[in-house]
Amino acid sequence: MQSTVTPTHCPYCALQCGMNLTPAPDGTVEVSERTDFPVNRGALCGKGRTSAAVLASNVRLTSPLVRDEGGTLVPASWDEALDRIAAGLGRTRAEYGPDAVGVFGGGGLTNEKAYTLGKFARVVLGTSQIDYNGRFCMSSAAAAGIKAFGVDRGLPFPLEDIPKSGCVILVGSNLAETMPPSLRFFTELKENGGTLIVIDPRRTKTAEQADLHLAPRPGTDLALALGLLHLVIAEGRVDEEYVRERTAGWEDARAAAMAHWPEYVERITGVSVPQLRETVRLFCEPESAMVLTARGPEQQSKGTDTVGAWINLCLATGRAGRPLSGYGCLTGQGNGQGGREHGQKADQLPGYRKLDDPAARAHVAEVWGVDPDSLPGPGRSAYELLDALGTDIRSLLLMASNPVVSAPRAAHIEERIRSLDFLAVCDVVLSETAALADVVLPVTQWAEETGTTTNLEGRVLLRRRAITPPEGIRSDLEVMHELAARLGVEKGFPTDPEEVFEELRRASAGGAADYSGITYRRLAEENGVFWPCPAEAADVSEGAVPAGEAPAVHPGTPRLFLDRFATPDGRARFVPVSHRAIAEEPDDEYPVLLTTGRVVAQYQSGAQTRRVAELNAAAPGPFVELHPRLAARLGAAEGDPVAVVSRRGRAVAPARITNAIRPDTVFMPFHWPGEGRANTLTNPALDPTSRMPEFKACAVRLEAVSSP
Ligand code: SF4
């Protein structure tokens, strides 16, 4: 084992906090402060601080597993496991055609792995059926950003701009629990005299920090944004010159907003007209202001329109593409940003290219050395792909995802997964989904491999290998190399991450997310580089510059849109949107709204964090958060088991009674499997553009459960 300190990044969320790793003689790894990374300046949340615990071999898989004739997963050699996967996928392909083989990736995969997985699906398997769990995370914001600005990058500015802005509206983000080190940017905003407005149906720890907290009914953020824009117009606060010079489509968006009277919006959202007026005043009076959205407005069947409405508010007030102003999405997963740029999404090729664009296909096909016509077209979105398992899709290769816990309508998805002819899973632990597989492959983790991720700011980062993986474990890149060879493709699937990144640079060159000017060396020296970063000048820096002359390296692009937006004419687009109800409104049978979310000590489906004792002690299991009035009606006391029932199933968890939630709404965190699985209840109604399911609002009823 190496004994030096390795500067790297956290394996979990999209903040990608910097940390130092030091192997100890007893085989453990120490996580310590790394103060040179500007995003977290040394601070880590509990998940990051304890992340090394998941490296210990007693909580993870250290041998491939195959299902024996009796149906039990038993240890096997790598050759046997890989042979069985190649045979399983190959059999399906031969019998039913390439689209009967599905591939499901994850927002935690490095850029190199996401890139290789997309290439593996399209070149080796020839399937169009690939998507990833990041679809559940940010796809509505991405779709709205592309419509309005011509490109999607979570934040178009670095986090360090936030404290210098005049006002920030945080919509549906509880970053005090999801990304605690980022809270300091908002604390500094307030210290500098700026205003923080938080919009959330719950009075979260983040909302407690706000100067103004609005608590709309879940699923009504679209109406709220329209009501604010109506007031902006009515109060004469539109930045007419900006709208004229830098945007298009204002008249239609204006007309749509004018149909949303403040009193009408108050009736829909529950947010009072005076609060709406105060929000407009606080947002419009400073010279600069921002709107940041997260899963609240995005995970809705109208998420794209909802984010579009918030973007319209920014555009009408001249708060986009100007210093210290803009719209941004707080992407959630560790490589949620990079994961959606390089080809594991159903409709994309590397560099954020579109799979149905002939020029994009030709460019990428040339890099891959294949005929453009051999590349399949766009496939199904994540939920639709999972829903087709066992019917149109007969075999699945799954990496870094745990849909049995994290997919909406999870009991149905679990049943679909069980009905597959063949399932192969690559993971570090035996997740609930891996436990259903025919073959499970144990793979390396972040500290055991080098690779790049792209954080929520669009900053490409180098995660360095700090330790040697335990015996018996291989990387995802090695897995794809071996499977490609077994399926007849001997070349084009390197196992060295830097070699993959060099190919990714070429594949992304000229695309929206252009990484061609970024090298591992630059990432190591510069502590990250913001895309787009085109190549010409950077290539010069690779040795062709005469001695004594400064290389003309492209600096990367920390701030987008300051001169023009990424649309053909350089103007941002207003998109006319109108309020519509959530897919499943409460009724007599299901009279309460359920919203779901996260707690600070667990991450996503909990596959990793539920294996860390300290985190489990802090957050041991699911709960149902409900208002005292609702609890009294139910006859439930604190800690009593409560059943939450939706049209899709029933979950039971202890009551957590609090005034911090609306009386018409209950909240459940979604990190756990079993009886308390929140996603048993959630509604897979999809946004028509982004195909994002409506995790954030569905109708339920509550039932008292007698204590055992
Ligand atoms: Fe890791 Fe996110 Fe916590 Fe930072 S905030 S330590 S990146 S989980």
Side-chain angles (χ1 to χ4, degrees), residues 9 14 96 115 123 163 201 360 371 449 498 502 553 574 606 680 695 708:
H9 296 272
Y96 299 98
Y115 170 85
V123 172
D371 180 348
E449 59 189 10
E498 188 166 6
E502 287 300 306
V553 174
F574 282 98
T680 299
F695 288 98

Side-chain angles (χ1 to χ4, degrees), residues 9 23 28 30 39 44 139 189 289 299 382-383 489 494 507 517 540 547 564 572 578 612 691 694:
H9 296 272
T28 59
E30 189 199 345
V39 168
L44 295 171
S139 52
L189 164 81
Q299 289 180 325
Y383 180 78
V489 181
V540 172
R564 67 192 310 279
S578 292
V612 179
R691 317 307 285 168
E694 191 149 73

Side-chain angles (χ1 to χ4, degrees), residues 24 85 155 304 622:
I85 296 175
L155 297 180
T304 305

Side-chain angles (χ1 to χ4, degrees), residues 10-17 19 40 43-49 178-182 603:
C10 176
Y12 296 122
C13 83
L15 213 52
Q16 285 295 283
C17 292
M19 57 167 60
N40 63 312
L44 295 171
C45 77
K47 297 187 287 284
R49 214 166 15 78
T178 54
M179 301 177 171
S182 71
Y603 181 69

Side-chain angles (χ1 to χ4, degrees), residues 299-312:
Q299 289 180 325
Q300 298 184 24
S301 61
K302 53 180 186 287
T304 305
D305 282 359
T306 302
V307 173
W310 288 105
I311 292 175
N312 286 350

Side-chain angles (χ1 to χ4, degrees), residues 38-39 41 155 157-165 184-185 188 192 290 324 457 459 530 558-559:
V39 168
R41 292 190 212 146
L155 297 180
F157 42 73
L159 284 161
E160 68 194 41
D161 282 5
I162 289 172
K164 300 174 210 148
S165 188
R184 94 176 144 79
F185 295 106
E188 288 171 15
N192 292 344
M290 298 173 172
L324 310 178
E457 306 166 286
R459 192 193 302 248
F530 291 82
R559 293 172 184 84

Side-chain angles (χ1 to χ4, degrees), residues 31 73 108 118 135 165 172 203 205 223 329 479 500 533 558 563 622 648 655:
V31 175
L73 281 173
R135 175 81 68 170
S165 188
R203 188 162 180 79
K205 286 187 179 141
C329 155
V479 168
V500 176
C533 180
D563 300 324
R648 291 151 294 281

